[in-house]
Amino acid sequence: MSRWVLSYDGYDPAAEGVREALCTLGNGYFATRGSAPESSADGVHYPGTYITGCYDRLVSEVAGRAVDNEDLVNTPDWTALTFRVAEGSWFSVDAAAEAGRLLSYRQELDMKRGVLTRFVRFRDEAGHRTRVTQRRLVSMDEPHLAAMETIIVPENWSARLHVRCPLDGRVANRGVTRYRDLEGRHLTVDGLTRHGDDILCLRTTTRTSRIGIATAVRVRTSPEAGRVTHTENDHGVQEMFLDCVQGVPVTVEKTAAIATSRDHAIEECRIAAARWARRAGPFDDLVERHVLAWDQVWRRCQISVDVEDAQRILNLHMFHLLQTVSEHTVDLDAGVPARGLHGEAYRGHVFWDELFILPFLNMRFPEIARALLMYRWRRLPEARWAARQAGHRGAMYPWQSGSDGREETQRLHLNPRSGRWLPDHSHLQRHVGLAVAHNVWRFHEATGDIEFLAEYGAEMLLEIARCFADLAAYDRAADRYEIRGVVGPDEYHDGYPDRAEPGLDNNAYTNVMTAWVLCRALDALALLPEDRRTELRERLALTREEIERFDDVSRKLKVPFHDDVISQFDGYERLAELDWDRYRAVYGDIRRLDRILEAENDTVNRYKVSKQADVLMLFYLLSPEELDTILTRLGHRCDADLIDRTIGYYLPRTCDGSSLSALVRAWILARVDGEDAWRTFLDTLHGDIADSRRGTTAEGIHLGAMAGSVDLVQRCYAGITTRGDVLHLDPRLPPAVTSLSLGLRYRGHWGIDLTCRHDRLRVQLRPGAASPVQIAYRGRVVTIEPGSFWETEVRADPAGSPRPDSARGAASRGRPTPGAGR
Ligand code: BGC
């Protein structure tokens, strides 16, 4: 199988949901699942088309309470198409497969070209054998257009072919079984209109957000067909009749144009969509321009390893990331939904996952990264309001964010195992604000964009820092600050078993990252030109006392310890150890121990069991040097052994209930040469493609883990960090990879080409780069001029080098025996 093609042979209804998600096509403006065009939402198939940032809120009654949920809206299916020979039955892959009349079936996703092709051969009940080739695209060239070409070849018949292309506004969000008790009808239909002979346009409006959405569909055939069009107010159908001759192909081209009332440079969305559908070129022209546009995208994604299967999945991960956010997202004021535009899980909400996504974009598509940060900046007023409501200064970002940046986290969630609706305290994950701040800073490091920092970035950093400095309460007796009542990244622990109110005290990840963010906020202020600094301080009414408090809190926040390791939170040591073997023996997959224990009338809060990396996130986000600096500032030593012991302690107690955790595990093991490093990385790579989270991929891809896996290759294997004006390199290739090469953008330098082998490292600055670049490698700093390169032998780690020696032992000792329920 090629490194650019994802293919499926045969038809398997049970795997259809996963294929649909993985064969989704999108362009950053909208995306359409790879569902069979003749299908409807019937439990096997789930057609879905989602437009970036198009949310709607509905109120539902759950467990006697009114709850509101904002969803990314499923819009009318532009792909719908079926056909029959003479008066036979309508083609459906399921009917053909059930009757044993599906002769062959293959799907190919060509990631390089962004084209999905379906090859079908079947026989109908009357013995007509037909070959169908269906190609589709969602244009990367013209973000409002999509198209599908269906070529039908009558293999052994000559008869009349009847083709139906419905367009239906009676669509709802029904893609996630556990949300089915919730209201899902987000669209009201304004009407269906005809535009000439071959175009139908459906105008809908979301019920609460009142976004107008127009879906125009043009159908043309070759040879030309007789046609009849039926329309009702909320749905319509174009029917075509073609007299087919055995062996002679006929072609049906469906072209769709999608517009919303939020688009720029339009008069009205129905008018716009109908015009665009009319003007669109034929399928082959659309393909040509679309492929060219993808070509340009791929040129900025150069990242290659000489392990074929890994490379193919890395390509798939980049493909889905860039279909979710692209240059077409830049003007849309949108965040990045955790599950892509590929399904309805998590309702299209934006979590902290951009933490895992931005590093890849920073070094390749900084304009997209900047746009995602702007989504946060525009929601600063809402975050300030949230902070004020909670009695704090500054800005408090929501754990789950949607249209306007208010807290979208559900207050009740369903445990499908017990059938109980339970209180959901995950909104107490205040650390999401720290992730936003971290992203601002890393963006600045990678791009050096001082204008962004001065206009937007520093404001976010300072307002977030302000909120956390305010959350920190001073304990005079201990001369320490404490942050109480929060939830860390590990969502399993949302409170103490013996305390009524939710939340934990002094989550180490939150506290250490708070100290780090406070320092970066001060750094950002210091970096600004004098006039901009004064202006910002005045605008934010930031006083000298407040700045002193930032400094004080960043030195005195409490970091709990027990057994010579960093404690996940105060009192962690009092929790019980879980009998992992017993649970694994009984349940097999124990990644959702929270649900298992709750169904047993127990609670995961009683145990030393983490859903996901929590303390371990510190080793993922901060380099050992940064961690040492911040812990030293907080009055602790961060020697090699502490990292070693802490990794060894938590890895086995983490059950990777989140795909992000599996990624962090892979990262940590890779960086410390852990025994299971490569296998763990491969597990992460196969997360979605193998649907290893048991059915969750069908509801949407895990975008953080996908993007993070590519970033792992770039920042972890190639060892790239951006600090000051210097690009630091510390490659560490796994034994399975003999060569890794990357093209990067760094601080306006486009591009830097890097080739790492086990024994050599080569860095080249392409000709035409505006200025030289500085590279640091093992304590040496070299300057590379445009058009020249630098090459060095890679020596074994020098004795005493802090990173490699620090944790190598830990990784071996910390074999993920109990928890890693892969
Ligand atoms: C994880 C979160 C993550 C969210 C969305 C949850 O399962 O616990 O950390 O942000 O999924 O991906």
Side-chain angles (χ1 to χ4, degrees):
M1 199 182 294
S2 128
R3 44 173 51 192
W4 288 109
V5 177
L6 176 71
S7 62
Y8 296 100
D9 275 309
Y11 174 66
D12 176 7
E16 189 58 10
V18 176
R19 286 192 197 181
E20 287 181 352
L22 291 175
C23 291
T24 294
L25 295 180
N27 59 20
Y29 175 81
F30 78 101
T32 297
R33 285 166 66 85
S35 54
E38 70 280 3
S39 67
S40 54
D42 56 7
V44 173
H45 306 275
Y46 191 74
T49 290
Y50 308 95
I51 303 173
T52 298
C54 183
Y55 290 102
D56 187 57
R57 185 183 307 283
L58 291 177
V59 178
S60 314
E61 170 130 349
V62 175
R65 277 169 66 173
V67 293
D68 63 292
N69 281 300
E70 189 174 61
D71 286 315
L72 187 68
V73 175
N74 186 16
T75 68
D77 177 24
W78 65 269
T79 67
L81 179 152
T82 187
F83 55 88
R84 62 178 177 174
V85 181
E87 295 298 306
S89 49
W90 296 104
F91 169 70
S92 116
V93 60
D94 300 275
E98 267 162 39
R101 289 191 263 98
L102 194 60
L103 306 176
S104 67
Y105 194 81
R106 182 175 166 82
Q107 280 164 289
E108 276 184 12
L109 174 67
D110 180 338
M111 300 174 256
K112 185 104 179 53
R113 296 157 47 86
V115 175
L116 176 66
T117 310
R118 183 165 83 137
F119 304 92
V120 189
R121 274 188 75 233
F122 75 103
R123 197 177 59 236
D124 71 9
E125 65 280 5
H128 302 118
R129 271 200 326 269
T130 307
R131 192 165 73 236
V132 183
T133 308
Q134 231 158 14
R135 291 192 293 162
R136 70 163 87 158
L137 60 86
V138 170
S139 178
M140 195 48 104
D141 176 54
E142 294 190 55
H144 298 277
L145 293 187
M148 182 172 77
E149 176 204 63
T150 305
I151 299 178
I152 298 171
V153 183
E155 288 194 353
N156 65 346
W157 53 271
S158 294
R160 173 159 272 218
L161 180 76
H162 183 174
V163 181
R164 295 187 90 228
C165 296
L167 182 60
D168 199 336
R170 296 165 297 180
V171 43
N173 279 50
R174 288 277 172 262
V176 177
T177 315
R178 62 190 175 283
Y179 303 162
R180 286 209 181 134
D181 288 346
L182 306 172
E183 272 293 324
R185 276 208 176 275
H186 289 286
L187 296 178
T188 53
V189 180
D190 306 317
L192 185 77
T193 42
R194 290 179 67 161
H195 303 260
D197 263 0
D198 53 5
I199 296 174
L200 281 185
C201 185
L202 186 63
R203 171 72 153 82
T204 53
T205 302
T206 55
R207 277 167 65 184
T208 312
S209 54
R210 310 298 299 160
I211 304 173
I213 301 168
T215 312
V217 170
R218 184 185 79 190
V219 186
R220 289 184 180 163
T221 64
S222 166
E224 230 172 87
R227 73 169 71 211
V228 179
T229 303
H230 310 277
T231 57
E232 301 282 334
N233 184 50
D234 55 5
H235 67 283
V237 58
Q238 304 190 61
E239 309 214 33
M240 267 78 44
F241 302 92
L242 292 127
D243 290 317
C244 293
V245 176
Q246 181 176 343
V248 180
V250 299
T251 305
V252 183
E253 269 188 28
K254 267 195 105 174
T255 309
I258 295 180
T260 81
S261 54
R262 297 201 169 164
D263 289 334
H264 302 305
I266 62 164
E267 179 188 352
E268 188 276 337
C269 61
R270 176 175 8 218
I271 297 171
R275 291 174 91 202
W276 294 334
R278 190 165 54 245
R279 286 182 192 167
F283 187 79
D284 283 338
D285 290 4
L286 294 178
V287 174
E288 196 181 315
R289 296 176 53 130
H290 166 72
V291 171
L292 257 172
W294 263 111
D295 220 49
Q296 284 173 351
V297 171
W298 285 121
R299 260 187 255 156
R300 290 166 73 170
C301 294
Q302 288 164 17
I303 181 157
S304 72
V305 292
D306 57 351
V307 180
E308 191 77 7
D309 184 48
Q311 182 66 50
R312 184 171 57 98
I313 302 176
L314 290 170
N315 289 345
L316 181 75
H317 290 184
M318 289 186 272
F319 180 67
H320 283 308
L321 172 62
L322 294 161
Q323 294 200 110
T324 309
V325 286
S326 75
E327 60 167 306
H328 305 305
T329 319
V330 170
D331 280 341
L332 292 182
D333 179 33
V336 52
R339 304 297 283 276
L341 297 170
H342 297 58
E344 292 165 13
Y346 294 139
R347 306 186 171 87
H349 292 173
V350 179
F351 295 64
W352 70 326
D353 301 42
E354 62 212 38
L355 192 62
F356 301 84
I357 292 169
L358 260 65
F360 173 79
L361 297 173
N362 284 343
M363 302 199 85
R364 291 191 164 71
F365 300 91
E367 67 285 7
I368 302 177
R370 184 183 194 278
L372 297 176
L373 293 173
M374 287 303 292
Y375 165 83
R376 295 298 192 175
W377 182 80
R378 293 196 194 92
R379 284 149 188 81
L380 251 183
E382 191 64 37
R384 285 193 180 108
W385 171 254
R388 191 145 18 113
Q389 290 298 99
H392 299 293
R393 300 151 70 95
M396 184 181 272
Y397 277 95
W399 173 237
Q400 295 186 29
S401 183
S403 59
D404 62 11
R406 79 180 76 166
E407 181 57 81
E408 299 292 353
T409 305
Q410 66 282 9
R411 293 304 159 113
L412 288 176
H413 68 247
L414 177 70
N415 179 0
R417 216 174 245 283
S418 67
R420 282 190 282 258
W421 285 92
L422 306 160
D424 189 320
H425 303 302
S426 54
H427 66 279
L428 292 174
Q429 288 183 76
R430 304 286 175 234
H431 66 86
V432 62
L434 301 167
V436 174
H438 183 265
N439 291 336
V440 167
W441 185 255
R442 294 295 189 223
F443 174 79
H444 173 72
E445 283 184 327
T447 62
D449 186 344
I450 198 79
E451 206 39 51
F452 176 81
L453 194 70
E455 276 296 311
Y456 313 105
E459 183 176 3
M460 280 191 272
L461 268 166
L462 287 163
E463 287 290 68
I464 292 167
R466 206 173 211 181
C467 179
F468 279 88
D470 217 35
L471 276 167
Y474 186 57
D475 172 356
R476 190 167 299 279
D479 189 25
R480 283 278 178 192
Y481 289 91
E482 303 198 75
I483 298 182
R484 304 196 190 105
V486 299
V487 171
D490 165 25
E491 299 183 321
Y492 279 0
H493 289 103
D494 66 353
Y496 292 98
D498 51 1
R499 198 196 269 180
E501 64 278 15
L504 303 158
D505 301 336
N506 295 312
N507 168 254
Y509 170 78
T510 303
N511 287 13
V512 173
M513 287 310 293
T514 295
W516 185 87
V517 165
L518 289 167
C519 294
R520 298 300 76 82
L522 296 176
D523 288 350
L525 208 52
L527 271 176
L528 299 187
E530 179 72 44
D531 54 336
R532 307 294 284 274
R533 180 166 49 238
T534 311
E535 189 187 287
L536 186 61
R537 283 188 58 173
E538 279 173 15
R539 186 147 53 83
L540 300 182
L542 191 66
T543 61
R544 177 177 298 279
E545 293 70 50
E546 255 189 296
I547 290 177
E548 280 166 9
R549 183 172 165 100
F550 283 12
D551 184 74
D552 201 41
V553 175
S554 76
R555 293 175 192 281
K556 294 186 184 162
L557 259 168
K558 178 174 178 188
V559 181
F561 283 81
H562 73 281
D563 297 347
D564 283 338
V565 299
I566 301 173
S567 304
Q568 192 171 310
F569 47 80
D570 273 354
Y572 182 89
E573 69 283 3
R574 292 197 297 273
L575 304 184
E577 294 285 1
L578 185 89
D579 184 348
W580 293 87
D581 291 338
R582 182 173 91 76
Y583 277 89
R584 189 164 299 108
V586 176
Y587 294 98
D589 184 346
I590 54 167
R591 281 176 297 199
R592 292 311 303 257
L593 268 167
D594 56 335
R595 292 179 177 165
I596 291 174
L597 288 162
E598 194 277 330
E600 288 183 350
N601 298 318
D602 199 346
T603 166
V604 72
N605 273 325
R606 294 203 314 118
Y607 300 96
K608 288 178 175 149
V609 173
S610 303
K611 174 184 183 187
Q612 62 200 94
D614 193 298
V615 174
L616 295 178
M617 280 299 297
L618 295 172
F619 308 118
Y620 174 75
L621 288 183
L622 304 180
S623 68
E625 296 77 16
E626 283 176 307
L627 191 58
D628 183 39
T629 308
I630 204 73
L631 281 177
T632 305
R633 187 179 178 96
L634 288 164
H636 304 282
R637 289 279 334 277
C638 177
D639 56 20
D641 285 348
L642 175 67
I643 298 181
D644 196 357
R645 284 192 304 272
T646 307
I647 292 175
Y649 185 87
Y650 287 103
L651 274 186
R653 291 176 174 81
T654 305
C655 70
D656 294 350
S658 156
S659 57
L660 299 174
S661 184
L663 172 78
V664 175
R665 178 188 294 274
W667 181 288
I668 288 174
L669 288 176
R671 211 55 203 160
V672 300
D673 301 339
E675 285 169 15
D676 288 320
W678 180 247
R679 189 176 58 79
T680 312
F681 176 62
L682 291 182
D683 284 352
T684 308
L685 278 187
H686 284 90
D688 273 324
I689 205 168
D691 190 22
S692 62
R693 297 191 170 267
R694 304 249 167 123
T696 59
T697 300
E699 302 168 346
I701 53 166
H702 298 82
L703 200 55
M706 277 193 168
S709 68
V710 184
D711 179 46
L712 188 149
V713 174
Q714 104 183 339
R715 284 195 305 133
C716 184
Y717 290 162
I720 296 174
T721 43
T722 48
R723 254 174 285 144
D725 287 329
V726 183
L727 188 68
H728 293 252
L729 301 175
D730 183 11
R732 188 168 299 275
L733 293 195
V737 175
T738 51
S739 165
L740 157 64
S741 51
L742 311 168
L744 293 176
R745 180 172 197 145
Y746 167 65
R747 298 210 153 195
H749 294 288
W750 187 241
I752 300 170
D753 294 311
L754 201 79
T755 309
C756 317
R757 297 179 167 276
H758 288 278
D759 56 349
R760 289 207 85 66
L761 167 66
R762 186 181 201 274
V763 190
Q764 176 166 9
L765 186 58
R766 290 183 204 159
S771 54
V773 66
Q774 285 195 304
I775 303 287
Y777 174 70
R778 300 254 162 104
R780 275 172 70 192
V781 177
V782 289
T783 303
I784 307 178
E785 298 293 332
S788 63
F789 68 90
W790 172 77
E791 200 167 359
T792 184
E793 223 172 85
V794 173
R795 286 161 287 125
D797 302 321
S801 134
R803 181 178 357 229
D805 292 349
S806 67
R808 183 174 289 127
S812 314
R813 287 204 300 283
R815 279 174 57 84
T817 37
R822 272 178 278 270

